[in-house]
Amino acid sequence: ANTVGEWGSWSPEVRVRTLALLDIAIDNIGENYIAFRWTRGGEDRGVTVDRYQVRVTGPDDWRYEDVVAASQVDGQGRITVRGLQPDRMYDVSLCAGYGDLEWGLWSTPQSFA
């Protein structure tokens, strides 16, 4: 606004589409570990992800959380979580980190046993 409280003209509208949620796919399961990858539906808009937050929950309120730098994702595009117990049911979810501590939404949890 100017000194008398008058506003200028509106700029033209720009239409934007937000990113789709990450979709987790279980890649490999052992007695004490899980390896998973993810995809994102929709078009690739060249958004840079520099880190991921991983959450695995299990029986008796067991919980694992970690932040993994994008550079730590293995050459096959997977994250591996170790220290799980045999023959237990777990859920894994993931969210992406962008820039200066800006976090995306959590993926839908993926169950595995």
Side-chain angles (χ1 to χ4, degrees):
N2 62 20
T3 57
V4 292
E6 299 171 324
W7 291 90
S9 300
W10 285 97
S11 66
E13 288 184 5
V14 175
R15 185 168 257 197
V16 297
R17 180 184 299 273
T18 56
L19 297 172
L21 288 176
L22 297 172
D23 185 27
I24 294 176
I26 306 301
D27 201 42
N28 198 351
I29 300 174
E31 293 85 0
N32 64 345
Y33 75 93
I34 176 179
F36 65 95
R37 65 180 71 236
W38 55 94
T39 57
R40 186 189 305 269
E43 64 184 80
D44 179 10
R45 290 195 238 26
V47 174
T48 301
V49 175
D50 57 8
R51 65 197 173 287
Y52 296 93
Q53 189 168 6
V54 179
R55 179 183 297 154
V56 180
T57 56
D60 302 322
D61 295 324
W62 183 88
R63 181 185 209 101
Y64 168 91
E65 288 189 341
D66 195 12
V67 175
V68 178
S71 61
Q72 294 174 299
V73 175
D74 78 13
Q76 298 175 337
R78 297 182 309 191
I79 293 175
T80 300
V81 175
R82 293 177 172 80
L84 306 178
Q85 297 296 314
D87 199 31
R88 303 280 172 92
M89 192 69 147
Y90 293 93
D91 292 315
V92 61
S93 52
L94 183 75
C95 71
Y98 314 94
D100 294 332
L101 298 180
E102 187 68 37
W103 289 100
L105 298 176
W106 285 97
S107 66
T108 302
Q110 176 70 41
S111 297
F112 65 96

